C-alpha cells in the first residue's frame, strides 16, 4: 500500500470509498499529511485518509483486461471497475490467474454456447482465447487425458449467481469433447439434466435471496475410459438441509414437493387426504405459499414426467408421494400432558385423524405408530423399561421421524437417478463438477447458515492452500529466490467449529444429549469456552446469540433453534415400526439394522453427519486437480444490464476472489517458459536473437531492454510481477504497430508503382487500338454511307409503294362498305316506300269503296223518289184518261199487285221493328241487371288502370335515363373545360412562337450586317488587286498571310458544316414532332367524330323520350275517352229518347279536340327545345373546329420556327463560302466566328424548345388518353340507355296496340248500338250514312252489314287530326319503325 500511495500526487485520478456505489473515481485536490481531499466524479468533495485512497489506471483498455493479474494497480476498486466494463460489453467471463469469474447476465446469449464456440475452444491453449467456461472445462479435460489424474471444477456463488447454468455448460462441453452417446440417443449431460426437475422438487426451496435455491450440495462425476471417452456418470449429494422439513422462517418456503403435491389434481389430493398448504404445520410457519410466475400444478405434472423419464414406475411414484403426504400429516400431530407425570397424549380428534391418515399412508400399525411417538424403551442389563415422553419430547420425536423419512426418501431418489444414468466401476479418471451453495449472511442466521458457512470455510481453506501450494511448488522447482507469502489462514475458525472435544459442533452435540439443555445453557457454555478466542464474539445485551468472524466477514447467529435442528438420531422404535411396514417401498427405506448397531446405538446429530460428509467431500477434492469458477450475481433484482457495485464487491469478498488476487500478486502471478516468452516478445530485441542462442540470456536481455525490474528467471521459466506482462504487451503492440506501418507503406508503394506501369502500358496499347479502331470506323462509315443511301432509296420506294397499295385497298374497302351501306339504305327506303304505297292503296280503295257505296245508296234513293213521282203523275194521267173499263181493270189489277208487294214489305218492316224492340228491351234489361257488357267494361277499365301503372313505371325509368343523360351532359362540360385548358396551352405556345420570331428577326438583322461587311471586304479586295504589282517580298508575305487566313476559313467552313448537320438533325426532329402533332390532331378529330356520334345518339334519346311522353299522354287521353265513350253508350241506351244527350256528346268531342290541340302545342314546344339543343351542340362543334384551326395554326408556327434556324444556318454557310474569296482581313474572320457561335447558341435554344415541345406533346397525349377513356365511358352509358329505351318502346308498343284494339272494339259496339236505336226511332240527325227519303211514305233502314261504316268518336278525332300530324296507331307504328331504323 505504501508503494501505491507514493504514486498519488495532487491532480492524480484516484478511487475513494463511497457507501452507495462502493468505490467512486475522482481527482486529488489536496494532500495534508495522512489526510486527502478528493473531488469525485459526481461533483462532491470528500476528505478521507490517504491510506484508503487507491490510484486509478489511466491507460485502461476500452473492453477491460481479460486477466486481472495484468492490471497495473491490482486493488479492489480496479477489479470492480474491470468487471463492470466487461459486463457492459457482454463479456461475462474474466480470469484472475487460473480462477474464472462468471457474472450472471440474466438473459439468453445462445451465441456464447453453441457448437461453433465449443469447437473453437476444443484443443486451444489456456489464455490464447478470451475467458470462457469452456476454457476451464478444456484445461481440466486435457490435464486428465495427458496426466492421467482426475480433475474437479468447483462452481461456487450465492443463490441466483448462475451456478446451475454454469454446471450445465460444463457438462455440455465435456459431453462434446468426450463424444459418447447414452441410451436412446441421449448424452450423459442430457440424462443428468433430465433428473434436474426431480432433484429441484425434492432438494430446492425458496430462500430470502433466491426463489429456487438448492439446499444441498451436488457433485457430478463424469467418468472417462482410457481413451478419454465418457463411460458413465454419477451424482453425489452432500449436506441436505434436513431441518427445513420441520422448521422454516418467514418469508422462506419448505421444499417444493410439499406445495406441488397440494396443487395436484383433485383426485390425487383426495387420495392423499390433503388440502390447502395453510392447513399444515410444516408449511404455515411462513406466510409465503406461492411463487410469482410459478404454477405448482404445472410443475407437479412436469415432475411426474421426469420421474417417468428416469425410470421410476407408477407404483414407486405413488409410494413416494404417499411418504411426502404422510410427512405433512405427521406435522399436524399436537400433544398435550397426560394423566401420568411426564406423559403425553394426542391433543384432540384432529390429531387423531392425522395420526390415522399417517398410519394408512405408511401402511403401518396405528397403535405402534402412536407408541413410537409417545414412549421410549430403555434397555438395562436387568430389564427393558418403557417410559412415557412429555409433550415436548413427543414433538421432538415427531420431527425426528419426519426428517428421517425425508432424508431417506431423498437418498433413495439420488440412488435411483444414478442407476438410470449408469456408472462405470472400472473408470480410473473422472472430472467432477461441484455445485454447492455459497457464503450466507442474513438478518436472522440459524443452524442452516452455520453449516453452510462452515462448508465455505472448508472450501476457502482448500482454495488458499491449493493456490499457495501450487505457486510454492513452481518456485521451488524453478529454484528462484522467493519469500514466504502471508495469507489469511482460517484454520483457527475451523478449529473453533470442528475441533474435538472443544469445538462448537462437539459442544452442540453434548448439549443435545442432555434432555434438560436449553439454548441459554448452550450459549453460556460457548461463552465460557471461547471467551478468549479472537474469532468468537459475544454480542452485547444478548443471552443466546454469538458472532463468528469468518473469512468473508462477521456473521451474527441466533442459537434459539440450534438444539432442535441438530438432533438427528434414529429412534429404534421408528426403525422397527417402518421396517415392518406393509408398503415395500417404505420398508426398503428402513432396512433392518445389524445387531451390533442395535446394541451399541450412539447419538447422531445433523452437525456430526454434516462434518463427516464434508470431510468426505474434501477428501474427494484433495484427490483431484481442482479448478475454480466463482459465479457472481450482478444485482438482486435479477434483471439484465444492471451492475450493482455494492452487491458485487460483497460477493467478491465472500468468495475469496480478492484474497486470491492478493496471494497471486504477492509473488509472481505470471510465468512463461523460455520458448513461449521468446516467441512472444523476441521482436522487442531482434539483434539478441541473431547473436546469441542461450534462451536464458535472451530472456534477460529482452526484459532489460524493455526496462522491466523485479523479475525472476528460473531453470525453464520467466517469472513476472503484477503489471509486467501488461507492460511487455504494450511494448510488443507498439513494435508490431510500427512494423506494420512500414510494411504497409512499402507494400502500398510497390502496388501503386506496379499499377502505374501497368496503366502506362495499357494506355499505349489502348491508344494504338483506338486509333486503329477510329480509322476502321471512318472507312466503315464511308462505306455504310454509300450503302445506306441505296438502301434508303429502295426502302423509301418500297414503303411509299406499300403505303399506296394499302391506301388503295383501304379506299376500295371503304367504298365497298359505303356502297353497301347506301344499298342497304336504298333497300330500306324502297321497302318503306312499297309498304307506304300498299297502305295508301288499301286506304284509298277503302275510301273509294265507301264513297261508291254511299253514292250507290244515294242514287237508289234518288231513283226511287223520282220513279214514285213519275208513277204518281202517271196515275193521275191514267185516272183522268181511264174511262175505259178494261183499262181501269188492268190498272186496278196492277195496283193490287203493287199493294200486295208493299204489304209484304210492310210486314217485313213490322217484323224487323218488333225484333228491334225486343232487342232493345233485352238490352235495357241487361243494363238494368248489370249484364256482361258492364263487366266487360269494368275489366277493360281495370286493364286500363294496369296499363296506366305500367306507364307510370316506364315514366320513372325515363326519368332515370334523363338523370344519366344529365351526367353525360356534365361529362361534355368537363371536356369543354379541358378544351379551354388546351386553348390556354396553345396561347402559351403562341407566345413562345412570338419570342422565337423575335429571335429570328434579330438573326436576320445579324445576317444583313454580315452581308454589308462582306460587301466592304469585296471593295477592299478590289483595291488590293490594283496594288498587285508591288514588291516580290510583299507578295510573298501576302501569300503567307492569305495561306494562314485560308486555314482559318477552312476551320470555319468545317464548323459551318457541323452546324449544318446539327441543323439538319434538328429539322428532322422538328418534322418528327410535327408528325406526332399531326397524329395528335387526327386523334382529336377521331374524338370529335365520336363526340358528334354521341351527340347524335343523345338527340335520338331526347326524341325517343319526347315521343314516349306524347305516347303516354295520348294513351291516357284514349283511356279517358274510352271510359267516357262507354259511359255515353250506357247513357244513350238508358236515355235514347233525350235529344239533349247528343248535344252533350258533341260538346265532349269538342273538348277532346281542344285537349288534342294542347298536346299538339306541347309537342311543338318540345320540338323547339330539341332545336335549341341542336343549336347548342352545333355551337360546341364550332368551338371544337375553332380549336382544331388554332392547333393547325400552332403547327404551322412550329414548322416556321423549326425552319428559321435552318435558313439562318444556310445563309451563314453561304456567307462563309463567300468569305473564302476575301483573305486579307483577319478581323472579319473573327467577327464571322462570333456569328457562328451565336448561331450555335440559337440552335441549342431551338433544341431546348423542341425538347419542351416534345414534353408538352407527351402531356397532350396523356390528356387525349384520359379524354378517350371518358368518351368510351359516355358511349357505354348511351348504349345502355338505348337498350333500355328500345326494350321500353317494344313493350309499350305491344301494350298500346292491344289496348287500342280493345278500346276500339268496345267503342264501336256501344256506339253502333246507339246508332241503331236512333235509326229505329227515325233520328234524322245521325252522322251515319242511313238511307232516308223525305218524299217516300216509308223508311228503308240499311241492313246490319252496313254497321262498319259507322265510326267512333275517337276515329273522328283521328280523322280531323290527320292533315296536321297523324298521331294514331298507324302513325305510331311508322314512328316506332323510324325510331328503330335510327337506332340500328
Amino acid at each position: 500500500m505504501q508503494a501505491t500511495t507514493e504514486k498519488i500526487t495532487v491532480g492524480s485520478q484516484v478511487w475513494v470509498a463511497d457507501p452507495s456505489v462502493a468505490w467512486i473515481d475522482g481527482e486529488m485536490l489536496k494532500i495534508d499529511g495522512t489526510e486527502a481531499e478528493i473531488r469525485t466524479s459526481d461533483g462532491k468533495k470528500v476528505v478521507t485518509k490517504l491510506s484508503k485512497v487507491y490510484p486509478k489506471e489511466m491507460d485502461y483498455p476500452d473492453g477491460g483486461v481479460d486477466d486481472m493479474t495484468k492490471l497495473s494497480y491490482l486493488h479492489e476498486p480496479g477489479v470492480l471497475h474491470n468487471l463492470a466494463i466487461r459486463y457492459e460489453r457482454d463479456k461475462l467471463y474474466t480470469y484472475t490467474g487460473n480462477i474464472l469469474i462468471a457474472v450472471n447476465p440474466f438473459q439468453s446469449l445462445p451465441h456464447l454456447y453453441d457448437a461453433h464456440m465449443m469447437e473453437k475452444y476444443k484443443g486451444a491453449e489456456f489464455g490464447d482465447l478470451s475467458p470462457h467456461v469452456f476454457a476451464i472445462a478444456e484445461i481440466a479435460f486435457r490435464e486428465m487425458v495427458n496426466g492421467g489424474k482426475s480433475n474437479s471444477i468447483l462452481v461456487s456463488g450465492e443463490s441466483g449467481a448462475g451456478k446451475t447454468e454454469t454446471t450445465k455448460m460444463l457438462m455440455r462441453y465435456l459431453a462434446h469433447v468426450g463424444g459418447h452417446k447414452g441410451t436412446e440417443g441421449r448424452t450423459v449431460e442430457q440424462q443428468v439434466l433430465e433428473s434436474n426437475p426431480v432433484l429441484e422438487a425434492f432438494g430446492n426451496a425458496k430462500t430470502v435471496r433466491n426463489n429456487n435455491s438448492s439446499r444441498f450440495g451436488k457433485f457430478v462425476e463424469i467418468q472417462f475410459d482410457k481413451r478419454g471417452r465418457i463411460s458413465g456418470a454419477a451424482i453425489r449429494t452432500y449436506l441436505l438441509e434436513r431441518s427445513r422439513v420441520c422448521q422454516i422462517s418467514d418469508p422462506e418456503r419448505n421444499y417444493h414437493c410439499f406445495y406441488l403435491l397440494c396443487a395436484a389434481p383433485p383426485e390425487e389430493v383426495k387420495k392423499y387426504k390433503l388440502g390447502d398448504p395453510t392447513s399444515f404445520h410444516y408449511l404455515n410457519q411462513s406466510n409465503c405459499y406461492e411463487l410469482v410466475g410459478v404454477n405448482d400444478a404445472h410443475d407437479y405434472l412436469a415432475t411426474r414426467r421426469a420421474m417417468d423419464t428416469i425410470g421410476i414406475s407408477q407404483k414407486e411414484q405413488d409410494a413416494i408421494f404417499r411418504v411426502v403426504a404422510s410427512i405433512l400429516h405427521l406435522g399436524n400431530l399436537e400433544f398435550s400432558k397426560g394423566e401420568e407425570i411426564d406423559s403425553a397424549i394426542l391433543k384432540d380428534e384432529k390429531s387423531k385423524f392425522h395420526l390415522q391418515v399417517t398410519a394408512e399412508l405408511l401402511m403401518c400399525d396405528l397403535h405402534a405408530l402412536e407408541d413410537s411417538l409417545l414412549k421410549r424403551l430403555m434397555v438395562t442389563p436387568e430389564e427393558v423399561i418403557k417410559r412415557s415422553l412429555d409433550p415436548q419430547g413427543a414433538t421432538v420425536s415427531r420431527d425426528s421421524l419426519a426428517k428421517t423419512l425425508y432424508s431417506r426418501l431423498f437418498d433413495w431418489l439420488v440412488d435411483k437417478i444414478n442407476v438410470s444414468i449408469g456408472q462405470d466401476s472400472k473408470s480410473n479418471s473422472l472430472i467432477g463438477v461441484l455445485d454447492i451453495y455459497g457464503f450466507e449472511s442474513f438478518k436472522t442466521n440459524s443452524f442452516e447458515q452455520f453449516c453452510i458457512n462452515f462448508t465455505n470455510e472448508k472450501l476457502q481453506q482448500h482454495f488458499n492452500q491449493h493456490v499457495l501450494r501450487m505457486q510454492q511448488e513452481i518456485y521451488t522447482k524453478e529454484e528462484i529466490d522467493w519469500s514466504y507469502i502471508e495469507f489469511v489462514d482460517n484454520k483457527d475458525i475451523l478449529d473453533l467449529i470442528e475441533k474435538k472435544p472443544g469445538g462448537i459442533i462437539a459442544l452442540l452435540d453434548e448439549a443435545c444429549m442432555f434432555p434438560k439443555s436449553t439454548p441459554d445453557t448452550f450459549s453460556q457454555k460457548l461463552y465460557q469456552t471461547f471467551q478468549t478466542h479472537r474469532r468468537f464474539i459475544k454480542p452485547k445485551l444478548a443471552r443466546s446469540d454469538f458472532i463468528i468472524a469468518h473469512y468473508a466477514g462477521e456473521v451474527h447467529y441466533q442459537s434459539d433453534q440450534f438444539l432442535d435442528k441438530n438432533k438427528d438420531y434414529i429412534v429404534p422404535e421408528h426403525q422397527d415400526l417402518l421396517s415392518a411396514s406393509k408398503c415395500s417401498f417404505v420398508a426398503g427405506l428402513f432396512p433392518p439394522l445389524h445387531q451390533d448397531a442395535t446394541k451399541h446405538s450412539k447419538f447422531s446429530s445433523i452437525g456430526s453427519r454434516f462434518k463427516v460428509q464434508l470431510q468426505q467431500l474434501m477428501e474427494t477434492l484433495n484427490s483431484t486437480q481442482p479448478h475454480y469458477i466463482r459465479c457472481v450475481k450482478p444485482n438482486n433484482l435479477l434483471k439484465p444490464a444492471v451492475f450493482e457495485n455494492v452487491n458485487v464487491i460483497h460477493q467478491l469478498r465472500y468468495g475469496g476472489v480478492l484474497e486470491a488476487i492478493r496471494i497471486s500478486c504477492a509473488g509472481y502471478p505470471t510465468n512463461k517458459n523460455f520458448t513461449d516468452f521468446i516467441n512472444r516478445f523476441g521482436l522487442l530485441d531482434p539483434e539478441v536473437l541473431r547473436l546469441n542462442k542461450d534462451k536464458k540470456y535472451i530472456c534477460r536481455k529482452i526484459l532489460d531492454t524493455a526496462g522491466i525490474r523485479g523479475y525472476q528467471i528460473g531453470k525453464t521459466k520467466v517469472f513476472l510481477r503484477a503489471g509486467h506482462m501488461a507492460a511487455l504487451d504494450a511494448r510488443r503492440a507498439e513494435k508490431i504497430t510500427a512494423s506494420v506501418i512500414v510494411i504497409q507503406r512499402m507494400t502500398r508503394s510497390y502496388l501503386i508503382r506496379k499499377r502505374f506501369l501497368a496503366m502506362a502500358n495499357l494506355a499505349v496499347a489502348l491508344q494504338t487500338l483506338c486509333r486503329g479502331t477510329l480509322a476502321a470506323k471512318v472507312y466503315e462509315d464511308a462505306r455504310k454511307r454509300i450503302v445506306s443511301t441505296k438502301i434508303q432509296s429502295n426502302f423509301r420506294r418500297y414503303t411509299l409503294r406499300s403505303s399506296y397499295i394499302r391506301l388503295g385497298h383501304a379506299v376500295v374497302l371503304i367504298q365497298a362498305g359505303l356502297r353497301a351501306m347506301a344499298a342497304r339504305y336504298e333497300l330500306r327506303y324502297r321497302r318503306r316506300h312499297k309498304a307506304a304505297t300498299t297502305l295508301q292503296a288499301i286506304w284509298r280503295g277503302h275510301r273509294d269503296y265507301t264513297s261508291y257505296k254511299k253514292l250507290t245508296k244515294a242514287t237508289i234513293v234518288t231513283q226511287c223518289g223520282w220513279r214514285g213521282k213519275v208513277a204518281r203523275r202517271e196515275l193521275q194521267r191514267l185516272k183522268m184518261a181511264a174511262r175505259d173499263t178494261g183499262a181501269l181493270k188492268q190498272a186496278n189489277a196492277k195496283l193490287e199487285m203493287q199493294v200486295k208487294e208493299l204489304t209484304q214489305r210492310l210486314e217485313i218492316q213490322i217484323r224487323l221493328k218488333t225484333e228491334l224492340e225486343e232487342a232493345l228491351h233485352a238490352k235495357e234489361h241487361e243494363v238494368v241487371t248489370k249484364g256482361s257488357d258492364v263487366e266487360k267494361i269494368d275489366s277493360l277499365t281495370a286493364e286500363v288502370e294496369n296499363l296506366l301503372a305500367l306507364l307510370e313505371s316506364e315514366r320513372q325509368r325515363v326519368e332515370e335515363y334523363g338523370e344519366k343523360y344529365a351526367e353525360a351532359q356534365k361529362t361534355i362540360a368537363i371536356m369543354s373545360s379541358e378544351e379551354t385548358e388546351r386553348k390556354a396551352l396553345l396561347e402559351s405556345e403562341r407566345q413562345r412562337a412570338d419570342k422565337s420570331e423575335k429571335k429570328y428577326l434579330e438573326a436576320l438583322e445579324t445576317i444583313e450586317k454580315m452581308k454589308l461587311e462582306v460587301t466592304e471586304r469585296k471593295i477592299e479586295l478590289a483595291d488590293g488587286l490594283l496594288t498587285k504589282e508591288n514588291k516580290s517580298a510583299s507578295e510573298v508575305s501576302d501569300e503567307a498571310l492569305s495561306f494562314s487566313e485560308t486555314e482559318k476559313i477552312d476551320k470555319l467552313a468545317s464548323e459551318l458544316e457541323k452546324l449544318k448537320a446539327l441543323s439538319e438533325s434538328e429539322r428532322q426532329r422538328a418534322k418528327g414532332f410535327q408528325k406526332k402533332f399531326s397524329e395528335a390532331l387526327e386523334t382529336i378529330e377521331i374524338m370529335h367524330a365520336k363526340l358528334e356520334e354521341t351527340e347524335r345518339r343523345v338527340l335520338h334519346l331526347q326524341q325517343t323520350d319526347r315521343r314516349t311522353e306524347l305516347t303516354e299522354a295520348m294513351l291516357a287521353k284514349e283511356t279517358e275517352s274510352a271510359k267516357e265513350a262507354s259511359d255515353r253508350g250506357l247513357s244513350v241506351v238508358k236515355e235514347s229518347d233525350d235529344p239533349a244527350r247528343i248535344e252533350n256528346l258533341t260538346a265532349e268531342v269538342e273538348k277532346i279536340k281542344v285537349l288534342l290541340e294542347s298536346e299538339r302545342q306541347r309537342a311543338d314546344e318540345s320540338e323547339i327545345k330539341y332545336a335549341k339543343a341542336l343549336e347548342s351542340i352545333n355551337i360546341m362543334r364550332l368551338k371544337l373546329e375553332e380549336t382544331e384551326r388554332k392547333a393547325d395554326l400552332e403547327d404551322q408556327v412550329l414548322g416556321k420556327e423549326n425552319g428559321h434556324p435552318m435558313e439562318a444556318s444556310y445563309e451563314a454557310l453561304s456567307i462563309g463560302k463567300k468569305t473564302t474569296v476575301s483573305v486579307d482581313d483577319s478581323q472579319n474572320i473573327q467577327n464571322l466566328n462570333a456569328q457562328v457561335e451565336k448561331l450555335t447558341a440559337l440552335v441549342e435554344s431551338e433544341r431546348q424548345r423542341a425538347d419542351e415541345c416534345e414534353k408538352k406533346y407527351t402531356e397532350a397525349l396523356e390528356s387525349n388518353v384520359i379524354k378517350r377513356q371518358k368518351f368510351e365511358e359516355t358511349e357505354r352509358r348511351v348504349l345502355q340507355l338505348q337498350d333500355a329505351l328500345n326494350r321500353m318502346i317494344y313493350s309499350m308498343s305491344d301494350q298500346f296496340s292491344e289496348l287500342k284494339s280493345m278500346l276500339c272494339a268496345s267503342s264501336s259496339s256501344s256506339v253502333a248500338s246507339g246508332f241503331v236505336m236512333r235509326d229505329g226511332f227515325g233520328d234524322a240527325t245521325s252522322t251515319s250514312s242511313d238511307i232516308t227519303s223525305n218524299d217516300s211514305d216509308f223508311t228503308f233502314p240499311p241492313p246490319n252489314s252496313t254497321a262498319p261504316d259507322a265510326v267512333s268518336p275517337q276515329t273522328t278525332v283521328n280523322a280531323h287530326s290527320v292533315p296536321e300530324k297523324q298521331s294514331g296507331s298507324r302513325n305510331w307504328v311508322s314512328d316506332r319503325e323510324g325510331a328503330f331504323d335510327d337506332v340500328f
Side-chain angles (χ1 to χ4, degrees), residues 903-921:
T903 302
Q904 291 176 358
R905 290 180 64 182
L906 181 60
E907 289 176 354
I908 291 170
Q909 291 295 330
I910 291 170
R911 187 171 61 252
L912 290 173
K913 184 177 181 180
T914 303
E915 291 175 356
L916 289 174
E917 289 176 353
E918 290 175 356
L920 179 61
H921 289 300

Side-chain angles (χ1 to χ4, degrees), residues 187-220:
T187 63
V188 173
E189 172 254 346
Q190 289 174 339
Q191 296 178 66
V192 174
L193 293 181
E194 286 171 356
S195 64
N196 277 343
V198 179
L199 292 177
E200 288 181 0
F202 289 87
N204 289 22
K206 180 188 182 302
T207 61
V208 177
R209 293 185 179 179
N210 189 6
N211 292 342
N212 189 29
S213 176
S214 299
R215 308 315 300 165
F216 66 99
K218 180 172 62 175
F219 188 71
V220 181

Side-chain angles (χ1 to χ4, degrees), residues 788-806:
S788 61
T789 304
K790 294 181 180 180
I791 292 173
Q792 286 176 359
S793 60
N794 293 327
F795 179 74
R796 288 169 183 165
R797 178 181 57 79
Y798 171 75
T799 52
L800 291 174
R801 179 172 176 80
S802 299
S803 61
Y804 173 75
I805 294 172
R806 283 196 303 271

Side-chain angles (χ1 to χ4, degrees), residues 288-493:
C288 181
Y289 300 100
E290 296 180 354
L291 298 178
V292 178
V294 177
N295 188 343
D296 290 333
H298 180 270
D299 290 347
Y300 172 79
L301 299 177
T303 305
R304 282 277 197 174
R305 288 193 295 269
M307 287 182 174
D308 294 335
T309 303
I310 62 178
I312 299 177
S313 63
Q314 291 294 329
K315 184 178 179 181
E316 292 174 336
Q317 294 180 30
D318 181 66
I320 290 170
F321 288 106
R322 287 170 70 90
V323 173
V324 175
S326 67
I327 293 173
L328 291 177
H329 288 288
L330 192 63
N332 281 5
L333 297 181
E334 296 181 1
F335 305 98
S336 62
K337 291 183 179 181
E339 297 178 357
E340 299 179 0
I341 300 175
D342 293 335
S343 65
I345 60 173
L346 294 173
K347 184 177 181 181
D348 50 18
E349 293 297 328
K350 181 180 179 182
S351 299
K352 293 180 181 180
F353 168 75
H354 286 293
L355 180 66
Q356 183 179 359
V357 173
T358 304
E360 292 176 357
L361 292 173
L362 295 176
M363 294 186 182
C364 61
D365 185 71
L366 176 62
H367 298 289
L369 177 60
E370 184 177 2
D371 291 341
S372 66
L373 295 174
L374 300 177
K375 297 178 180 180
R376 287 291 178 270
L377 294 178
M378 297 182 65
V379 181
T380 63
E382 293 81 10
E383 61 180 345
V384 177
I385 301 173
K386 181 180 290 188
R387 70 178 181 86
S388 300
L389 299 175
D390 58 1
Q392 184 178 1
T395 302
V396 173
S397 177
R398 177 200 67 186
D399 294 342
S400 176
L401 177 59
K403 290 187 287 186
T404 303
L405 272 171
Y406 196 83
S407 177
R408 297 289 180 91
L409 176 62
F410 186 79
D411 293 340
W412 184 91
L413 286 171
V414 174
D415 294 338
K416 187 69 176 179
I417 290 170
N418 287 331
V419 172
S420 174
I421 296 174
Q423 303 183 49
D424 184 7
S425 58
K426 299 180 181 180
S427 176
N428 296 323
S429 300
L430 61 87
I431 295 178
V433 181
L434 177 64
D435 178 7
I436 198 167
Y437 28 59
F439 191 86
E440 291 185 355
S441 177
F442 303 136
K443 185 177 181 181
T444 301
N445 300 287
S446 186
F447 182 70
E448 295 83 7
Q449 282 70 41
F450 177 77
C451 295
I452 291 170
N453 294 337
F454 173 45
T455 304
N456 282 275
E457 288 285 356
K458 276 282 190 182
L459 294 175
Q460 183 65 26
Q461 185 189 39
H462 176 269
F463 173 73
N464 291 339
Q465 290 177 355
H466 171 73
V467 173
L468 184 61
R469 184 176 64 251
M470 182 175 61
Q471 288 193 3
Q472 290 175 353
E473 288 177 356
I474 295 174
Y475 298 160
T476 303
K477 182 180 178 181
E478 292 293 327
E479 298 179 358
I480 65 173
D481 296 333
W482 63 282
S483 58
Y484 180 76
I485 301 172
E486 295 183 359
F487 64 95
V488 178
D489 190 2
N490 59 347
K491 189 176 184 303
D492 54 349
I493 302 176

